Amino acid sequence: MKTLEPPTMETRPTPPSDDAAQVIDTSKMNAGQRAALEMTESARDAASEKGSFAANLFMGRYELDRLLPFPAQSHEDRDQGDAFLARLEAFLRANVDPDEIDRTGEIPDEVIEGLAKMGAFGIKISPQLGGLGLSQTNYCRAAVLLGSYCGNLAALVSAHQSIGVPQPLILFGTDEQKANWLPRCAKGEISAFALTEPGVGSDPATLQTRAEPTADGQHFVINGEKLWCTNLLKAGVLVVMAQTPPKLVNGKERKQVTAFIVDMDTPGIEIAHRCRFLGLRALYNGVVRFTDVKVPRANIILGEGKGLKVALSTLNTGRLTLPAACTGLAKRCLEVSRKWSAERVQWGAPIGKHAAIADKLGRMAANIFAMEAMTLYTASLVDRDKKADIRLEAAMCKLWGSERAWEIVDDTMQIRGGRGYETAQSLKERGEEPIAVERFLRDCRINTIFEGSSEIMRLFIAREALDPHLKVAGAVLNSQLPMGVRAAAAMKAGLFYASWYPQQWLPSLAPVNAQSALTKHLKFARRTARKLARSLFHAMALNGPKLEKQQVLLGRFVDIGAEIFALTATCARAEAKLKEAKSLEEREALLQLAECFCQQARLRIARHFDGLHHNADRAGYKLAQGVLSGQLGWLEEGIVAHKK
Ligand SMILES: Cc1cc2nc3c(=O)[nH]c(=O)nc-3n(C[C@H](O)[C@H](O)[C@H](O)COP(=O)(O)OP(=O)(O)OC[C@H]3O[C@@H](n4cnc5c(N)ncnc54)[C@H](O)[C@@H]3O)c2cc1C
C-alpha cells in the first residue's frame, strides 16, 4: 500500500519568485504540486533587501531599533482616530444590539445605513475620494472597538475594506479605477472578495472559475462558482479571482489568475445560497454563480495574470484587521473575566483568588497586551510606508493573535462556569446580566481558519523564513540543476556560511537601550534569535530538501519566531508606556504585566526548542496514515455513524 506523503510547503498559498526553479527542487513533486508551486512562487513578492524585523529573526539578526522606541501615534493622528472612534462607539451603544443580531441572523438596514453615514465603509479611503482617510493604526483601533462589541459588524466592515474592493484598489488600482469605485465604496456600497471555490480552499492556485477574453479582447466572460463569499448578499461590487488563458513563460505554459472588479448588477450573476455558520450568524456570506458574466478589460486589477499577487498582497495587509478585532474581543473577555472573578464567591473566596482561575486571568491580561503591541507595531509600519513589507509581521499577528484569542475566550467561558455556556437571552430571562460568552466563543472560532488558516500561516512564515537560505543554498540541493551549476552554487554557499554560521555563536555585546528591568528579556530575545537561526540551519543541514515536508517541526521554528516578536513588541511598548506612567503603582503594574508575559513566553520558547529534538512527530504521522488507510476502523465502532 502506498503511504501518503505529508503535504509539502510547496502547496502553500504563498506566492514563486522567478528563481523558484533554481532554488526549489520540484523533481519529486507530482504535476499538480509543481504547477501550484510555480504559480504561487511567481506571485510571491521578493523580500525587501533589508528584510523586516520578523524575517531577519530567522537569520539571527535581531534589530531591536526597529521596535525600540516603540512607534508612537502622532497627536494629530490619534485625535483624528479618537473623534471617529467616539462617534462609532456612541452609534454602537445607541443602535446596535449584538445579541439580537446574533439571534435573528440579520443586521438591521438602519445599522448598515448608520455605519455608512459615518464613513465606516471608507475608513482608509482618501478624503479626495470621499473616505475618511484614516491611518492603518486608526483603522485597527476601529476593528478593536467593533470586535469587542459585535463580531458580525467587525466582519462586515472588515471584509469590505480589508479584502473587498478598497484594499486591492488602494494598493494596485489605476487612477481611473480608484475614481470609479472608491467613492462608491466610501459612501457605503458594500464590496466582497471572491477567491474560495468548492474545490479550492487553502490552495488558490488551482481555482476553476474561468474568464475568457471576447473576440475583440475588450471584455472577459466569467463562468464559475465561488464559495463562502463574505458580504455577498449585501454587496454591490466584488473582486473576483478567475483563471484567464494560460501564457507561455520561458517556453512553458503557465496558468494565469486574474483579479476582476465585477459589479453585482452585471447580467449572469446569481446568488445560489446563503451560508450559515456556527458563529457570525449574521454574516451575509454565500455561494455566487457566474454564467457568461461579461466584464470590461478595464476592470482588471494590476494586469492579466497578476491576480494571485493581488489576492496575496491584499491579504498580507488585510489580515491585520483580524488580530485587531481579536484583540477587541479578548479585551471584552478580560472585562467579563475580571468582574466575575472578583464577584463570584465559591469555597469562601472570590474565584479570582483561587490560583487556577488567577492563572488564567494573568495569562489573559499578558497576552492581550502582547497582541495589541504586535498589531500596533505592524500597523505603524503601514502608516510609515503603504507598501512596507509586513508579510511576516501581519502573518504572525494573525497566527499568534487568533490562537491566543481562542484560548482567551475559552478561558473566559471556564471562568464564567455554567453561565459562560448559557445564552445571553436565557440569562436575561432568569434575571441575570446577559453576558454572551457563548456567542463570543462561537464568533471567535473562525479566526484561526479564514484569511489563512493557522496551518497555512505557519507554512507561509516558514517559507519566508527559509527564503534567505534557499537563495544561498537551494541550488546546491536541487537535483534538477546541472552539476556545474550546483558546484558553483556550493562554492558561493560555502563562502556565505563560513562567515554567517560562526556569527550565530558569538555573544552580542552591544548595549540594549531599554531603561527598565525588561532589558534582560530583550537580551534574551537577541540571544534566542541567534539560537533560532542556528537551529534552523542545523535542521536544514540534517533534513536537506525533506525539511519542507516536516511541517510540525517547521511550525516550532515559526512559533519561536512569533514568540520573539511578541516578547519584543511587549517590552518595547511597555517601555514607552512606562515613560507615560503617572504613579509608582501604575509603573509597577505595567512592569508586572510585561514581566509576566516575558516569563510565560520564555517558557513557551523553551518548550518549542525542546520539541525540536524530543517529539512524537514521526509516530504521530505514521499513526495518522494508519487511520487514513482504515487500519484502525474498529476505533470508530459503537457509534451512530454518519450516514453516507
Ligand atoms: C465564515 C467564512 C467566511 C469566509 N469568507 C471568505 C471570503 O470572503 N472570501 C473568500 O474567498 N473566502 C472566504 N472564506 C474561505 C476561507 O478563507 C477558507 O475557508 C480557508 O481559506 C480554508 O479553506 P478550506 O475551508 O477550503 O480548507 P482546506 O483548504 O480544505 O483545508 C482544510 C484543513 O487542512 C489544512 N490544510 C490545507 N492545506 C494544507 C497544507 N498544505 N498543509 C497543512 N495543512 C493544510 C487547513 O489549514 C485546514 O485546517 C470564508 C470561510 C468562512 C468559513
Side-chain angles (χ1 to χ4, degrees), residues 32-106:
Q33 284 175 328
R34 196 175 307 126
L37 168 77
E38 285 171 356
M39 206 166 179
T40 46
E41 284 290 323
S42 67
R44 185 176 158 265
D45 277 323
S48 66
E49 281 280 294
K50 287 200 290 184
S52 70
F53 173 81
N56 288 339
L57 287 178
F58 295 96
M59 286 303 280
R61 285 199 295 274
Y62 183 70
E63 297 164 329
L64 181 58
D65 54 351
R66 294 201 190 212
L67 280 94
L68 194 72
F70 195 73
Q73 207 182 355
S74 73
H75 289 301
E76 192 194 351
D77 193 51
R78 186 152 197 107
D79 289 349
Q80 275 177 3
D82 285 350
F84 175 67
L85 292 181
R87 280 191 287 139
L88 181 59
E89 185 182 340
F91 176 81
L92 295 176
R93 283 187 191 281
N95 302 288
V96 178
D97 178 348
D99 291 314
E100 180 71 7
I101 289 177
D102 175 66
R103 245 185 330 270
T104 58
E106 301 293 340

Side-chain angles (χ1 to χ4, degrees), residues 403-471:
E403 293 196 341
R404 292 299 81 75
W406 176 244
E407 280 167 22
I408 288 169
V409 81
D410 186 41
D411 280 347
T412 305
M413 176 159 283
Q414 199 67 20
I415 289 172
R416 282 279 290 166
R419 286 166 178 82
Y421 197 66
E422 191 173 0
T423 65
Q425 184 161 11
S426 173
L427 285 163
K428 193 173 170 186
E429 281 165 3
R430 58 181 192 79
E432 290 207 24
E433 202 182 342
I435 300 172
V437 176
E438 62 86 33
R439 167 168 64 83
F440 300 167
L441 190 102
R442 285 188 284 105
D443 286 354
C444 184
R445 185 61 188 86
I446 188 62
N447 289 314
T448 58
I449 299 174
F450 64 8
E451 295 190 24
S453 66
S454 284
E455 291 78 9
I456 297 301
M457 285 295 93
R458 287 195 170 87
L459 294 186
F460 173 86
I461 296 167
R463 166 66 182 90
E464 295 303 326
L466 287 175
D467 191 58
H469 293 292
L470 285 174
K471 282 196 179 117

Side-chain angles (χ1 to χ4, degrees), residues 13-28:
T14 53
S17 56
D18 280 345
D19 56 357
Q22 293 281 314
V23 298
I24 299 174
D25 188 351
T26 55
S27 61
K28 305 220 168 51

Side-chain angles (χ1 to χ4, degrees), residues 11 193 195-196 201-202 228 230 283 285 446 450 453 455 459 551:
T11 59
F193 175 77
L195 172 65
T196 305
S202 303
W228 295 327
T230 297
L283 216 56
N285 176 299
I446 188 62
F450 64 8
S453 66
E455 291 78 9
L459 294 186
Q551 291 188 345

Side-chain angles (χ1 to χ4, degrees), residues 182-194:
L182 292 183
R184 282 163 55 180
C185 290
K187 261 193 226 144
E189 177 161 352
I190 292 171
S191 67
F193 175 77

Side-chain angles (χ1 to χ4, degrees), residues 305-551:
K306 305 270 195 231
L308 265 194
K309 186 182 167 77
V310 171
L312 298 171
S313 307
T314 296
L315 281 167
N316 281 335
T317 311
R319 65 166 61 98
L320 197 51
T321 325
L322 193 142
C326 282
T327 303
L329 179 61
K331 281 171 176 253
R332 177 90 175 94
C333 284
L334 180 65
E335 185 203 28
V336 168
S337 300
R338 170 180 57 77
K339 286 184 180 161
W340 190 244
S341 299
E343 180 188 324
R344 177 70 169 171
V345 175
Q346 290 290 288
W347 303 83
I351 56 171
K353 295 279 178 194
H354 298 307
I357 296 297
D359 179 61
K360 297 186 206 313
L361 207 54
R363 201 173 38 245
M364 199 181 283
N367 285 344
I368 290 169
F369 186 70
M371 278 160 84
E372 199 167 31
M374 292 163 88
T375 308
L376 286 175
Y377 167 69
T378 310
S380 79
L381 297 179
V382 180
D383 287 334
R384 239 180 281 161
D385 172 8
K386 276 199 177 40
K387 302 233 158 140
D389 183 2
I390 60 156
R391 274 175 296 180
L392 282 205
E393 281 75 7
M396 283 181 179
C397 286
K398 198 276 174 186
L399 169 66
W400 198 89
S402 61
E403 293 196 341
R404 292 299 81 75
W406 176 244
E407 280 167 22
I408 288 169
V409 81
D410 186 41
D411 280 347
T412 305
M413 176 159 283
Q414 199 67 20
I415 289 172
R416 282 279 290 166
R419 286 166 178 82
Y421 197 66
E422 191 173 0
T423 65
Q425 184 161 11
S426 173
L427 285 163
K428 193 173 170 186
E429 281 165 3
R430 58 181 192 79
E432 290 207 24
E433 202 182 342
I435 300 172
V437 176
E438 62 86 33
R439 167 168 64 83
F440 300 167
L441 190 102
R442 285 188 284 105
D443 286 354
C444 184
R445 185 61 188 86
I446 188 62
N447 289 314
T448 58
I449 299 174
F450 64 8
E451 295 190 24
S453 66
S454 284
E455 291 78 9
I456 297 301
M457 285 295 93
R458 287 195 170 87
L459 294 186
F460 173 86
I461 296 167
R463 166 66 182 90
E464 295 303 326
L466 287 175
D467 191 58
H469 293 292
L470 285 174
K471 282 196 179 117
V472 175
V476 186
L477 305 170
N478 191 341
S479 60
Q480 287 171 303
L481 294 174
M483 275 317 283
V485 175
R486 293 177 71 184
M491 284 276 288
K492 265 196 191 162
L495 277 174
F496 172 81
Y497 286 116
S499 129
W500 176 84
Y501 185 71
Q503 284 173 34
Q504 306 315 311
W505 290 94
L506 293 176
S508 175
L509 302 173
V512 164
N513 287 329
Q515 306 297 315
S516 72
L518 299 173
T519 305
K520 61 179 182 289
H521 297 303
L522 291 168
K523 286 185 175 164
F524 162 84
R526 183 169 65 184
R527 282 196 307 278
T528 307
R530 282 199 297 273
K531 186 172 172 189
L532 170 64
R534 293 196 305 263
S535 307
L536 188 57
F537 176 76
H538 296 158
M540 278 177 48
L542 205 67
N543 293 279
K546 286 192 186 138
L547 179 60
E548 48 93 2
K549 290 200 164 99
Q550 311 277 332
Q551 291 188 345

